[in-house]
């Protein structure tokens, strides 16, 4: 329901976070996330899962930056040969 009930950039709030599925999916789909969980074991699981999602996003962003830089350098080289 995250995709159908929110837009990119929206804040998704989950007052009963459980294992963090909502937070993970929200972040992977360009939403911000606020979650609350009173059970420490579930909270710890949520933090781990959400941290893994953030790590994945950072890896994808870094890959995108590298691809973009390679394309920029190719374009620069092409201009030099003109």
């Amino acid at each position: 329901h995250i995709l159908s009930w929110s837009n990119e950039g929206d804040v998704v709030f989950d007052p009963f976070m459980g294992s963090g599925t909502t937070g993970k999916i929200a972040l992977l789909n360009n939403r911000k996330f606020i979650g609350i969980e009173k059970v420490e074991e579930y909270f710890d699981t949520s933090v781990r899962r959400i941290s893994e999602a953030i790590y994945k996003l950072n890896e994808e962003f870094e890959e995108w930056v590298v691809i973009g830089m390679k394309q920029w350098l190719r374009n620069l080289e092409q201009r030099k040969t003109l």
Side-chain angles (χ1 to χ4, degrees):
H1 295 296
I2 290 171
L3 297 178
S4 60
W5 293 352
S6 66
N7 298 309
E8 287 190 14
D10 283 355
V11 176
V12 175
F13 175 65
D14 186 357
F16 309 104
M17 199 163 47
S19 63
T21 301
T22 300
K24 176 182 176 179
I25 299 304
L27 293 172
L28 291 175
N29 287 283
N30 299 317
R31 275 78 170 158
K32 298 173 182 85
F33 175 72
I34 298 171
I36 299 171
E37 180 53 58
K38 73 175 187 175
V39 178
E40 189 172 353
E41 181 181 338
Y42 287 136
F43 179 80
D44 292 343
T45 300
S46 294
V47 169
R48 180 183 51 78
R49 292 185 75 205
I50 292 168
S51 295
E52 289 169 357
I54 291 169
Y55 181 78
K56 179 180 179 185
L57 289 172
N58 286 336
E59 281 185 325
E60 289 174 0
F61 178 75
E62 288 172 7
E63 182 179 331
W64 177 83
V65 168
V66 168
I67 291 169
M69 288 299 295
K70 287 179 179 177
Q71 183 62 44
W72 181 80
L73 289 170
R74 278 194 292 270
N75 290 344
L76 184 62
E77 289 299 318
Q78 288 175 354
R79 288 184 198 154
K80 286 181 181 178
T81 60
L82 294 177

